[in-house]
Amino acid sequence: GAGVSQSPRYKVTKRGQDVALRCDPISGHVSLYWYRQALGQGPEFLTYFNYEAQQDKSGLPNDRFSAERPEGSISTLTIQRTEQRDSAMYRCASSAATGTGELFFGEGSRLTVL
Amino acid sequence: GENVEQHPSTLSVQEGDSAVIKCTYSDSASNYFPWYKQELGKGPQLIIDIRSNVGEKKDQRIAVTLNKTAKHFSLHITETQPEDSAVYFCAASPPRKNDMRFGAGTRLTVKP
C-alpha cells in the first residue's frame, strides 16, 4: 500500500535481548518520526529525521535507544538490552515537508519484553 | 519543552449531542495545533488542524478553536454519530522544530 509500513507488527522478546523495529515511510516524505505509545496514553516523542539527518533525539529515554535513517527513507529504531519497561507500542510517522504538517502514522510495532 | 494537557480523559454523549474536548499547551511559541482520531487497532489520523494565525476553523461537523492568549484550544463535534466513537488526541508543535507533542487522549463514546 501507499501508507507508512512498520515491521514487525508484534515482537515478543526476553529481557536483555536487542530488538530492531523498522519503518518504511510514504514514498517521498522528507520527515520521519518515532513515537512510543503506552496503553491509554498519547504518542510520546522519541526522535525525528529530516532526510537522513537526525534532527532531534531528545525524546529517546536513554542510550539503549538509537535510530538511524541512512538513505533518507527506511528507518530503524534499535533498543539494546531490552527491559520490561520498554514494552509499548512503537509508532512511526512521516510527513511530506520539514515544516509542521500532517503526520501519517503507521500501524505500529507492539513490543513485549518478558 | 512543550507540554500538552487534555481533558476530559473520557467522554460519553448521546447520538446527536455535541462533544467538546479541551487542551492546554505550555510553549507560547507553538503555532500548529492538530487533532488526531485513533480507532481501535489503528494509528492516529489527522481530522483537523489549526495554525496560530486563525482563531477558529470548521470542517462540516468538526470545529477547532484556539485562544493563544490563554494557550488553549478545543475540538467541537456537533451532531455526534456512533462512528465518531474513538480516542481523540490534541497536539502542539513549535516552529522550527518538528517534535510535535501530544495530549494523553480523550476516549469518546457516542451512544446510539
Side-chain angles (χ1 to χ4, degrees), chain A residues 6-11 19-23 34 66 68 74-79 88-91 109-111:
Chain A
Q6 291 187 245
S7 62
R9 291 289 311 279
Y10 303 92
K11 176 69 176 179
V19 296
L21 307 177
R22 172 188 163 119
C23 173
W34 283 101
S66 63
E68 63 175 8
I74 292 170
S75 176
T76 302
L77 176 70
T78 301
I79 308 172
M89 177 71 82
Y90 290 84
R91 292 200 186 274
S109 292
R110 180 167 294 284
L111 173 65

Side-chain angles (χ1 to χ4, degrees), chain A residues 50-64:
Chain A
N50 284 341
Y51 302 100
E52 73 282 357
Q54 191 170 20
Q55 299 294 318
D56 185 345
K57 56 181 182 179
S58 63
L60 295 176
N62 50 61
D63 59 9
R64 294 187 297 106

